[in-house]
Amino acid sequence: MVTGTPTPRETAPNNTTLLTLVSSGCPGLEVPLTVTHHQEVMALLDVCGAPRRQRPEWALPVAGSGSRSDPGHYSFSLRSPEINPYLLGTMSGCAADCQYWERLLAKECRLYHLRNGERISVSAASKLLSNMMCQYRGMGLSMGSMICGWDKKGPGLYYVDENGTRLSGNMFSTGSGNSYAYGIMDSGYQPNLSPEEAYDLGRRAIVHATHRDSYSGGVVNMYHMKEDGWVKVESTDVSDLLHQYREANQ
Amino acid sequence: MASRYDRAITVFSPDGHLFQVEYAQEAVKKGSTAVGIRGANIVVLGVEKKSVAKLQDERTVRKICALDDHVCMAFAALTIFIGLAADARVVINRARVECQSHKLTVEDPVTVEYITRFIATLKQKYTQSNGRRPFGISALIVGFDDDGIPRLYQTDPSGTYHAWKANAIGRSAKTVREFLEKNYTEDAIASDNEAIKLAIKALLEVVQSGGKNIELAVIRRHQALEMFSAKEVELHITEIEKEKEKAEKKKSKKSV
């Protein structure tokens, strides 16, 4: 089922906002991943209902923080987080760095699979990326990434950044609008969210973040990470959603 | 004819031999016998211990080495190298470093197959570079992977490796292997004790009886490596001998 090359990337018009939101809360061991991803704002909400080994059910909203609001960075929108059919790697920060290192990571993951006869674990994939970052520490790379996938040990989510920081967790948010997203995610999160609820939480987090953060806007791309790979749930425009929420309030 | 083609390792002979590698395999055949058995829930390694000189400190003569053990003591890789002991030391060290390196880069302990492949690749490199001779060692590598499946691999100086259910290397390996082929049954390896006894019996085919002459180590699933003391080996040997006596008595009764 695993292919050698990542699936073709989606093209989007310039300045499209992509929101990354990963959430899963259903008893069917699913990890919905909503990807909202824009230049600077990226939120990755990961809410896992599936118990990971002995751990109690956990939720992970992850929001991406962008290139630390540096206007000098190329504003780019071609950001597809797919590494391979069972691994997603969202990226925020410098566009060139993101593209390059993620593609390199995809290559390493494929080589691992070929050499060892089994898929690379999420832990190992994130560690490979983190090691690459450590090598270039201090040389001006800018990248904030969330590696999400499903391996033998269940669902996994790791945050990796250009300093080489690698954190395992239930919920992260990266990008320049991450604080706004965190606010929504933290207040809306409950253990055992259903996929629908998780999608909604993710959508809201991204929409509100993009509303307030000047560097964000555009489209919400939602991915759901399941045991046999990710599925792309939707790609919705942020402004439409904002109107929806406003009207609902009234 | 052979002498012309065994100088430089990288040279093939006209009939396709790499003589240096074959000579290395001969060196292995001079080493002490070792046997490895893959049980249902246990892996056993046994080595013939050659008699130690009077003044030599026995404890320093160890043929079985641990390559790594899992954080939760659920996995360990044991290996025996037969052949040139000095070569073995070098390879063991490289393997140990690789085990840790792998943990560092990939956050997971090595699988038995991975470390075997690493050792085999290392050996192969030395068969294809000039100025170096191959390692004169064969190895039996045992352990459990994270998934709890027991494994036994054998490597040889040419750099090939294979998985085995039971195997022997070193002096008289052929005799021991024949014994194993006859006696390795599902029943024989079903219990830990039986597997251990099978290993000892196999070694006793070619080794003098006695706890002093056999070095034994086992790994049970989810447990750390266990080296047997001479006394413990003796206990198993006495059990084996009792069973033999019983079997003979039965035979003699039947014939009468």
Side-chain angles (χ1 to χ4, degrees), chain A residues 181-193:
Chain A
Y182 269 131
I184 304 290
M185 291 191 310
D186 283 330
S187 47
Y189 166 65
Q190 282 160 34
N192 293 323
L193 288 172

Side-chain angles (χ1 to χ4, degrees), chain B residues 50-253:
Chain B
K50 289 195 177 135
S51 51
V52 163
K54 266 194 189 173
L55 294 174
Q56 190 176 62
D57 190 342
E58 210 194 296
R59 283 170 299 154
T60 58
V61 184
R62 281 251 167 255
K63 296 236 171 75
I64 304 181
C65 315
L67 290 184
D68 189 15
D69 53 60
H70 193 259
V71 173
C72 310
M73 305 291 247
F75 155 88
L78 268 194
T79 178
I80 295 182
F81 287 92
I82 296 302
L84 275 60
D87 285 4
R89 238 188 9 248
V90 169
V91 175
I92 289 171
N93 191 49
R94 294 287 301 270
R96 283 175 173 160
V97 170
E98 178 61 22
C99 284
Q100 299 309 312
S101 238
H102 186 274
K103 252 193 212 170
L104 190 64
T105 32
V106 168
E107 289 282 325
D108 271 330
V110 294
T111 59
V112 187
E113 200 263 339
Y114 177 91
I115 197 63
T116 307
R117 205 174 350 127
F118 172 80
I119 292 172
T121 314
L122 179 64
K123 286 185 182 179
Q124 190 280 339
K125 280 196 195 139
Y126 279 67
T127 68
Q128 209 177 12
S129 54
N130 44 5
R132 300 202 260 197
R133 62 162 177 81
F135 289 105
I137 42 176
S138 276
L140 285 176
I141 300 155
V142 297
F144 282 88
D145 286 339
D146 243 357
D147 53 13
I149 299 180
R151 307 216 188 254
L152 166 66
Y153 286 92
Q154 186 226 355
T155 64
D156 75 349
S158 64
T160 53
Y161 72 97
H162 299 280
W164 290 78
K165 295 182 188 167
N167 199 4
I169 51 178
R171 194 170 61 84
S172 322
K174 219 181 173 192
T175 323
V176 179
R177 208 174 299 129
E178 280 168 8
F179 175 87
L180 287 171
E181 279 174 15
K182 283 191 207 143
N183 293 286
Y184 184 94
T185 59
E186 289 309 312
D187 289 332
I189 52 142
S191 91
D192 291 357
N193 245 345
E194 291 302 312
I196 295 172
K197 274 194 270 183
L198 181 61
I200 298 179
K201 274 190 242 177
L203 270 180
L204 287 175
E205 292 280 306
V206 294
V207 166
Q208 253 192 335
S209 175
K212 282 189 299 177
N213 302 322
I214 296 182
E215 193 177 319
L216 204 70
V218 302
I219 312 181
R220 294 168 220 270
R221 184 180 290 120
H222 301 309
Q223 286 176 34
L225 141 71
E226 196 188 318
M227 301 280 299
F228 278 30
S229 67
K231 281 192 193 161
E232 287 166 334
V233 178
E234 277 291 344
L235 280 173
H236 283 282
I237 292 182
T238 10
E239 246 186 82
I240 292 173
E241 281 173 2
K242 276 190 197 164
E243 280 175 9
K244 257 193 194 170
E245 278 177 36
K246 268 192 193 172
E248 278 180 31
K249 275 187 188 168
K250 272 191 185 172
K251 267 191 190 171
S252 54
K253 272 190 188 171

Side-chain angles (χ1 to χ4, degrees), chain A residues 190-203:
Chain A
Q190 282 160 34
N192 293 323
L193 288 172
S194 74
E196 296 307 323
E197 289 171 339
Y199 295 162
D200 184 62
L201 185 59
R203 255 182 244 122

Side-chain angles (χ1 to χ4, degrees), chain A residues 131-246:
Chain A
N131 290 340
M132 292 177 204
M133 292 298 109
C134 281
Q135 260 193 309
Y136 286 85
R137 193 176 148 98
M139 297 196 214
L141 287 183
S142 170
M143 186 208 82
S145 158
M146 293 170 290
I147 307 295
C148 176
W150 199 293
D151 59 28
K152 280 194 290 196
K153 298 181 186 168
L157 180 66
Y158 288 84
Y159 165 79
V160 179
D161 75 9
E162 75 273 356
N163 300 314
T165 306
R166 175 176 162 272
L167 300 169
S168 167
N170 287 351
M171 212 160 78
F172 290 108
S173 175
T174 68
S176 55
N178 69 342
S179 19
Y180 305 114
Y182 269 131
I184 304 290
M185 291 191 310
D186 283 330
S187 47
Y189 166 65
Q190 282 160 34
N192 293 323
L193 288 172
S194 74
E196 296 307 323
E197 289 171 339
Y199 295 162
D200 184 62
L201 185 59
R203 255 182 244 122
R204 280 179 189 275
I206 300 304
V207 163
H208 289 99
T210 53
H211 176 55
R212 283 290 168 187
D213 181 37
S214 40
Y215 290 100
S216 321
V219 175
V220 179
N221 283 329
M222 181 122 51
Y223 289 79
H224 185 144
M225 179 59 73
K226 300 189 180 186
E227 196 167 346
D228 52 355
W230 53 260
V231 288
K232 185 158 186 191
V233 176
E234 67 181 33
S235 182
T236 6
D237 192 290
V238 165
S239 35
D240 290 340
L241 287 169
L242 198 57
H243 281 301
Q244 269 181 355
Y245 297 145
R246 287 282 154 81

